[in-house]
């Protein structure tokens, strides 16, 4: 391989991707060697091509939103002291829809903040207002560096962390870095467009003005997940719900979507009609024929055609907005139940969630034939696995994310969505997120190559990485006793003494975590 020396760049076409141009100059210096950035709308989102001739212009071609940024990062990653490798390199995502899912209140990427929460779906925001930006900017930076296309944010609009201005600042920061901020929006549930605040498009504010439009919910508001157990939501404004059969509510939701897209440069919307109880009024019961689950397919059919038509717009960098429609969990193989969805628009993505146990019991059923039989052509898998909802918020799950990415791609699904509320400071989360990023980009990547290139160096070697994995697994074992956990702590401290830098930090995390678990496992009474 030949290399071309590079001592400084003159960026041509910087206006197409200012952040990409900044990355080039910061890494290679300002100079006279030309590098041209060229947008190509025909490329898939994130797709790019890098051309490094022996002389003349270096050319980076990418889709207008993220591809130029990814291309620049790829070029810089290939740079050596001898210069840039001469040749042409191109890449595109195997799963086009790569998305991280979050609630604002339990997204903890700046771990210096007070008010951290580890679980919840309808929580108040307990941190200071500036923490919202501090957390999400770090998550955006991670996504931009690791080629993850978007972040769903439930609670994007909330008075407690700055309302419209804070949300706008986040969207602009993310758009510049090729990351979509996808607004999590509850339709007739989950607070509406403006999750928390005295705002005309906050659901509680609307229903206080029009209590006659409220849904009739069951006595128990919540749901049950096998891996978590029975979940009850506390009685509060957050869990108020509107009746989907009332035309006034549809008009209000339509106006709210218009307002959102007129007000914020979001990259799309994650639509949800609520999963904590379906309306039991006479109108809704007549429509559903007695359908009684914690969500309603008929409610989805009654509202989405109007709302998706309203939301069909061009977004940042002139590319279409990306909309995801929740189809809820552990039901991807129930084609009969999904029949009401068949008439919904086909130009958005339908997102099927699975839990850990359901996945392992049913993953062999996820075939190309089954995916072709789903009601729509663009389908995404989302999972609670690796999150608090499956008791895995800080668990080591890279093998599971790899399995999901490779199987969904082989079956013809278009994306994979995982939770990413916990910071990559936690090495278990870090490696799990990296597996998600690498295998959702390239589902044909070999696990051995991923382990060699990404995992082993982070722990001091391959055998050391295996030891870390085994120690982290013991943290999740309910039968692990204080002695076994104490041995993990001791082994980890030995690695702390033998390493330095980021490798040492990862082992220090395991030592502290094992010590915490050992203390709890051994403490049976208060002395």
């Amino acid at each position: 391989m030949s290399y071309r020396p590079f001592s400084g760049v003159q960026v041509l076409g910087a206006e197409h991707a200012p952040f990409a141009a900044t990355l080039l100059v910061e890494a290679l210096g300002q100079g006279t060697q030309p590098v041209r950035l060229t947008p190509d709308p025909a490329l898939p989102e994130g797709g790019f091509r890098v051309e490094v001739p022996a002389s003349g212009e270096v050319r980076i071609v990418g889709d207008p939103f993220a591809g130029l940024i990814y291309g620049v990062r790829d070029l810089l990653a290939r740079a050596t002291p001898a210069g840039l490798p001469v040749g042409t390199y191109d890449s595109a995502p195997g799963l086009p829809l790569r998305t991280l899912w979050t609630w604002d209140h339990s997204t903890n990427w700046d771990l210096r903040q007070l008010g951290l929460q580890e679980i919840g779906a309808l929580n108040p925001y307990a941190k200071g207002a500036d923490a919202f930006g501090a957390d999400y900017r770090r998550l955006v930076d991670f996504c931009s560096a690791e080629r993850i296309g978007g972040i769903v944010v439930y609670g994007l609009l909330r008075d407690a962390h700055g309302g419209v201005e804070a949300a706008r600042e986040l969207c602009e920061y993310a758009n510049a870095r090729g990351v979509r901020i996808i607004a999590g929006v509850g339709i007739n549930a989950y607070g509406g467009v403006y999750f928390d605040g005295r705002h005309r498009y906050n659901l509680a504010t609307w229903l206080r003005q029009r209590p006659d439009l409220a849904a009739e919910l069951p006595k128990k508001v919540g749901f049950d997940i096998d891996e978590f157990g029975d979940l009850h939501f506390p009685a509060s404004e957050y869990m108020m719900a509107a009746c989907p059969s009332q035309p006034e509510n549809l008009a209000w939701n339509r106006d709210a979507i218009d307002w959102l897209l007129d007000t914020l440069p979001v990259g799309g919307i994650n639509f949800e009609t609520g999963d904590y109880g379906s309306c039991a009024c006479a109108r809704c019961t007549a429509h559903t024929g007695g359908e009684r689950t914690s969500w309603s397919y008929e409610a989805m059919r009654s509202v989405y055609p109007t709302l998706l038509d309203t939301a069909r717009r061009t977004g940042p960098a002139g590319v279409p907005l990306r909309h995801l429609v929740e189809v809820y969990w552990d039901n991807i193989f129930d084609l009969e139940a999904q029949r009401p969805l068949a008439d919904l628009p086909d130009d958005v993505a339908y997102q099927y969630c699975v839990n850990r146990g359901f996945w392992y019991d049913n993953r062999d059923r996820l075939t190309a034939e089954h995916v072709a039989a789903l009601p729509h052509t663009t389908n995404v898998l989302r999972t609670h696995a690796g999150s608090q909802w499956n008791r895995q918020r800080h668990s080591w799950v890279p093998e599971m994310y790899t399995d999901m990415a490779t199987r969904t791609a082989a079956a013809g699904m278009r994306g994979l969505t995982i939770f990413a509320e916990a910071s990559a400071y936690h090495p278990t989360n870090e490696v799990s997120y990296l597996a998600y990023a690498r295998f959702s980009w390239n589902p044909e990547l070999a696990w051995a190559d991923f382990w060699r290139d990404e995992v082993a160096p982070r722990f001091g070697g391959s055998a050391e990485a295996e030891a870390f994995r085994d120690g982290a697994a013991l943290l999740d074992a309910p039968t692990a006793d204080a002695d076994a956990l104490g041995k993990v702590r001791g082994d980890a401290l030995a690695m702390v003494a033998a390493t330095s830098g980021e490798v040492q930090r990862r082992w220090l995390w395991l030592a502290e975590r094992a010590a915490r678990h050992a203390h709890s496992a051994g403490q049976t009474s208060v002395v």
Side-chain angles (χ1 to χ4, degrees):
M1 180 178 290
S2 61
Y3 290 88
R4 175 177 172 180
F6 245 71
S7 57
V9 298
Q10 177 189 9
V11 181
L12 308 174
E15 69 276 10
H16 299 303
F19 181 70
T22 299
L23 290 175
L24 279 169
V25 173
E26 287 179 348
L28 301 176
Q30 191 81 48
T32 59
Q33 299 187 65
V35 177
R36 183 174 297 278
L37 304 180
T38 303
D40 183 355
L43 288 173
E45 186 166 313
F48 63 87
R49 183 175 67 257
V50 178
E51 302 170 0
V52 183
S55 62
E57 283 186 358
V58 170
R59 236 178 130 224
I60 301 172
V61 181
D63 97 274
F65 184 64
L68 290 171
I69 296 168
Y70 294 173
V72 165
R73 290 190 186 277
D74 184 84
L75 174 73
L76 297 178
R78 295 175 185 272
T80 73
L84 302 177
V86 173
T88 298
Y89 315 92
D90 63 281
S91 192
L95 288 172
L97 305 179
R98 304 168 321 285
T99 313
L100 303 182
W101 203 100
T102 68
W103 267 103
D104 64 329
H105 53 64
S106 46
T107 293
N108 303 323
W109 279 69
D110 183 344
L111 298 178
R112 301 168 296 178
Q113 302 291 337
L114 295 175
L116 275 65
Q117 300 178 63
E118 295 264 55
I119 192 168
L122 292 165
N123 297 17
Y125 193 76
K127 302 178 187 178
D130 60 343
F132 176 74
D135 282 320
Y136 276 99
R137 283 192 298 272
R138 284 166 174 77
L139 181 51
V140 166
D141 290 344
F142 182 84
C143 290
S144 182
E146 306 302 340
R147 302 182 191 172
I148 298 171
I151 305 167
V152 172
V153 184
Y154 274 86
L156 176 64
L157 286 162
R158 190 196 291 255
D159 285 353
H161 52 56
V164 169
E165 289 309 310
R168 180 181 291 115
E169 289 175 9
L170 174 61
C171 291
E172 290 172 350
Y173 184 89
N175 288 338
R177 288 155 180 79
V179 180
R180 292 174 180 265
I181 296 299
I182 300 172
V185 172
I187 302 301
N188 296 320
Y190 282 116
V193 160
Y194 199 106
F195 176 71
D196 186 6
R198 297 297 186 257
H199 190 276
R200 69 184 184 278
Y201 293 125
N202 167 256
L203 184 59
T205 301
W206 169 245
L207 292 178
R208 279 196 305 272
Q209 297 169 355
R210 291 294 307 273
D212 56 306
L213 300 179
E216 294 182 19
L217 293 179
K219 289 183 179 180
K220 177 209 167 180
V221 178
F223 47 74
D224 180 82
I225 298 176
D226 289 344
E227 281 82 7
F228 182 84
D230 201 22
L231 177 70
H232 289 257
F233 289 154
S236 71
E237 286 189 345
Y238 296 143
M239 47 70 61
M240 295 174 72
C243 172
S245 296
Q246 298 284 0
E248 295 94 333
N249 286 330
L250 179 58
W252 178 81
N253 279 293
R254 180 200 61 217
D255 293 346
I257 297 298
D258 264 334
W259 172 84
L260 171 69
L261 298 181
D262 286 343
T263 304
L264 294 180
V266 296
I269 297 173
N270 190 117
F271 286 95
E272 179 169 349
T273 53
D275 54 11
Y276 53 81
S278 52
C279 183
C281 77
R283 279 190 183 185
C284 288
T285 301
H287 290 161
T288 62
E291 173 193 31
R292 296 302 302 146
T293 63
S294 60
W295 59 80
S296 170
Y297 295 106
E298 287 293 343
M300 296 167 67
R301 182 164 69 173
S302 69
V303 300
Y304 280 142
T306 296
L307 300 182
L308 294 174
D309 186 58
T310 300
R312 197 172 285 114
R313 298 195 190 185
T314 299
V319 298
L321 292 176
R322 175 185 299 176
H323 300 315
L324 303 168
V325 172
E326 293 289 346
V327 195
Y328 305 106
W329 65 82
D330 296 350
N331 60 353
I332 189 170
F333 300 112
D334 191 347
L335 296 176
E336 180 62 26
Q338 296 163 30
R339 286 178 61 193
L341 307 182
D343 295 334
L344 296 184
D346 201 44
D347 60 345
V348 297
Y350 291 83
Q351 188 162 249
Y352 295 85
C353 188
V354 297
N355 288 289
R356 172 183 33 154
F358 180 87
W359 173 254
Y360 284 122
D361 289 343
N362 294 278
R363 56 185 173 168
D364 289 339
R365 299 171 63 191
L366 189 67
T367 63
E369 292 75 17
H370 178 76
V371 171
L374 293 173
H376 299 96
T377 56
T378 303
N379 300 289
V380 172
L381 193 74
R382 181 168 82 90
T383 186
H384 288 137
S387 81
Q388 61 273 15
W389 301 114
N390 284 180
R391 301 186 184 274
Q392 291 182 309
R393 184 173 172 92
H394 296 295
S395 295
W396 174 282
V397 294
E399 294 90 346
M400 180 167 54
Y401 287 161
T402 297
D403 187 45
M404 289 180 171
T406 55
R407 286 175 182 267
T408 54
M413 297 190 81
R414 301 291 288 164
L416 177 63
T417 301
I418 65 168
F419 277 71
E421 296 173 339
S423 169
Y425 165 81
H426 307 282
T428 46
N429 296 104
E430 175 190 20
V431 175
S432 298
Y433 297 158
L434 288 173
Y436 165 80
R438 297 295 177 269
F439 285 91
S440 63
W441 183 271
N442 178 12
E444 297 181 359
L445 178 66
W447 174 261
D449 292 342
F450 172 73
W451 187 270
R452 180 197 64 221
D453 297 338
E454 300 283 2
V455 184
R458 286 177 162 78
F459 300 99
S462 182
E464 290 80 1
E466 291 176 4
F468 188 98
R469 176 199 61 200
D470 295 344
L474 202 62
L475 301 179
D476 287 337
T479 58
D481 60 25
D483 290 341
L485 291 161
K487 185 179 185 308
V488 172
R489 171 181 174 272
D491 292 345
L493 286 173
M495 287 299 301
V496 170
T499 57
S500 61
E502 288 295 282
V503 173
Q504 183 184 64
R505 174 188 65 77
R506 295 182 181 97
W507 283 103
L508 187 62
W509 179 94
L510 181 60
E512 189 283 327
R513 205 83 175 181
R516 187 192 313 183
H517 284 239
H519 174 78
S520 297
Q523 185 172 0
T524 57
S525 62
V526 177
V527 178

